Amino acid sequence: MSQDEKKVILVPIDFTEVTRCALDHAVELCKLLRHQICLLHIVEFTSTDQQVLTAKDGLDKLAHEVSPDGNIKIESIVKKGTIFSDIGSVAKDINAYLIIMGTHGTQGLQNVFGSRALKVITNSIVPFVVVQKKMQSTISQGFKNIVLPLNLSKDSKQKLG
């Protein structure tokens, strides 16, 4: 990645507490690294133009809330589609180097059929950080628990390093 290329973290937002938590993680990371954030909200294909505008206004309000002074550059995108394919495609389109996504965890039949987060992750070539609850401390103090799926392949051993 060249010096001139912008460094963007994509944060999918569904206006729930857990996606706000993901945004808080992204904000803390951007404060340290001086990177940018792109907020993404996916609406259904059948959504009206008014629903799209309402979502865009909500994202813009959220961006102003977390960076009222504008120290962190935050853009927003509202896209008609599905979370399963469009989060990854938007990340690729905007050259995001990381996606920070909140998840509600597996509930009910998701334990049988797989989590929605896992389906989103497998449809993306961009790395993910998945968070579930409010940060106890800021990212500047580090993470205490990181789950990294590995196997005994050469690639996994390199990732661990």
Side-chain angles (χ1 to χ4, degrees):
M1 199 178 289
S2 72
Q3 291 278 3
D4 297 334
E5 198 172 336
K6 64 181 182 177
K7 296 177 174 99
V8 179
I9 297 173
L10 180 66
V11 183
I13 298 289
D14 66 3
F15 301 105
T16 61
E17 185 178 337
V18 74
T19 60
R20 173 58 192 258
C21 180
L23 178 56
D24 291 343
H25 276 81
V27 165
E28 290 300 319
L29 195 57
C30 287
K31 285 178 185 176
L32 292 172
L33 302 173
R34 292 186 167 78
H35 292 178
Q36 300 174 26
I37 295 173
C38 180
L39 304 177
L40 172 65
H41 182 71
I42 308 287
V43 295
E44 294 180 9
F45 286 111
T46 57
S47 297
T48 64
D49 290 342
Q50 183 57 46
Q51 289 170 315
V52 171
L53 287 173
T54 300
K56 178 77 166 123
D57 289 344
L59 291 179
D60 292 342
K61 180 181 174 190
L62 193 57
H64 183 71
E65 236 176 75
V66 297
S67 183
D69 52 10
N71 284 348
I72 299 171
K73 185 174 180 194
I74 303 176
E75 297 176 358
S76 59
I77 297 172
V78 177
K79 182 170 175 68
K80 289 184 180 183
T82 66
I83 62 169
F84 303 113
S85 60
D86 289 320
I87 291 174
S89 68
V90 168
K92 184 179 175 188
D93 291 346
I94 66 168
N95 292 321
Y97 75 95
L98 180 67
I99 300 169
I100 300 181
M101 184 173 78
T103 180
H104 304 281
T106 57
Q107 302 166 353
L109 289 176
Q110 288 182 28
N111 289 318
V112 177
F113 297 112
S115 76
R116 291 183 184 120
L118 184 60
K119 290 177 186 173
V120 171
I121 292 167
T122 57
N123 282 313
S124 175
I125 60 169
V126 178
F128 268 80
V129 171
V130 179
V131 298
Q132 288 189 320
K133 55 185 174 180
K134 190 88 176 123
M135 292 185 294
Q136 298 303 316
S137 60
T138 64
I139 200 171
S140 61
Q141 296 171 342
F143 289 106
K144 293 187 176 157
N145 298 309
I146 298 174
V147 177
L148 181 63
L150 300 172
N151 58 28
L152 297 177
S153 71
K154 183 179 178 181
D155 289 341
S156 283
K157 289 177 184 176
Q158 288 175 342
K159 290 175 191 174
L160 185 58

